[in-house]
Amino acid sequence: DKFQDGLDKVTEQYFNSGYLDFSITDISTNLSENKENISIDIYVSEGIQYKLGNISFTGDLGNQTINDLSDATNLKTGDIFNRSLIMEDIQTITDIYADQGYAFVNIEPITKDILNTVDLAIAISLNKKIYVNRITISGNTRTQDSVIRREMIITEGGLYSRSDLRESIKNLRRL
């Protein structure tokens, strides 16, 4: 299991370094004659290193402009393709829309590779805005509900906001 975890980390590191065609071609093992040591040879094929080409935003952008979304992300044309940075930027965009009430926004990265570059289109699909119906406090025996509710930033009947929800939870933990 640990060996497979190590191989997965190597693969992830190559993917985050722009080697999208990376593969492990062969693994060979040799046990020493005294049977105390094992030698492991891992043969890899890197392929070419890809860079980011055009970055575009498609779909329903809501009240955000393409420039707003570009400024919110770390992705820049010409950078080395990095899958983990793309996932972080998708989370950032998700948080932007989640703070506007779109709790179930669907963001899908669509890649198209051309020679040694990868064009990235981020497709955004906004669903209905979500409003908070009711906040139920349970398991509380010592503190009055009003004390807990005053720490809540998110309110009943208000528009859902992921950052307000996180801040409310943080306030309750500090209470």
Side-chain angles (χ1 to χ4, degrees):
D1 288 342
K2 295 252 186 214
F3 181 69
Q4 186 58 47
D5 288 346
L7 291 177
D8 291 343
K9 286 182 181 179
V10 167
T11 302
E12 181 180 342
Q13 181 62 37
Y14 269 97
F15 283 162
N16 290 338
S17 298
Y19 295 98
L20 302 180
D21 298 328
F22 172 80
S23 64
I24 296 175
T25 57
D26 191 25
I27 299 172
S28 65
T29 58
N30 291 320
L31 188 60
S32 65
E33 289 185 25
N34 62 4
K35 298 185 180 188
E36 290 183 10
N37 297 315
I38 188 168
S39 174
I40 302 172
D41 294 324
I42 303 170
Y43 300 94
V44 300
S45 172
E46 290 180 342
I48 61 172
Q49 187 177 37
Y50 287 89
K51 296 188 183 289
L52 274 174
N54 295 326
I55 302 166
S56 61
F57 299 93
T58 61
D60 186 7
L61 302 182
N63 65 352
Q64 298 294 312
T65 65
I66 292 174
N67 289 336
D68 293 339
L69 294 173
S70 294
D71 291 343
T73 62
N74 296 319
L75 302 173
K76 304 291 179 239
T77 299
D79 288 349
I80 293 173
F81 188 90
N82 187 327
R83 191 170 63 176
S84 66
L85 281 180
I86 291 171
M87 298 310 291
E88 286 176 17
D89 284 347
I90 287 173
Q91 186 61 50
T92 300
I93 294 169
T94 301
D95 288 345
I96 289 170
Y97 285 110
D99 285 345
Q100 298 174 12
Y102 298 103
F104 303 109
V105 63
N106 185 22
I107 299 177
E108 182 179 345
I110 301 167
T111 58
K112 179 180 177 186
D113 58 319
I114 303 168
L115 298 176
N116 65 342
T117 61
V118 176
D119 290 343
L120 177 65
I122 299 176
I124 300 170
S125 174
L126 301 178
N127 294 314
K128 295 189 311 185
K129 285 190 174 188
I130 304 297
Y131 292 88
V132 178
N133 185 25
R134 184 185 328 179
I135 298 173
T136 306
I137 300 169
S138 62
N140 179 33
T141 57
R142 295 184 182 183
T143 309
Q144 294 181 3
D145 280 0
S146 61
V147 174
I148 292 175
R149 287 187 186 277
R150 78 171 181 224
E151 297 297 324
M152 302 288 293
I153 295 172
I154 198 163
T155 59
E156 292 176 345
L159 195 60
Y160 173 83
S161 171
R162 185 174 290 165
S163 61
D164 286 353
L165 179 62
R166 285 183 189 145
E167 192 66 28
S168 296
I169 292 169
K170 200 184 306 181
N171 289 347
L172 289 175
R173 287 191 175 134
R174 282 191 296 233
L175 185 59

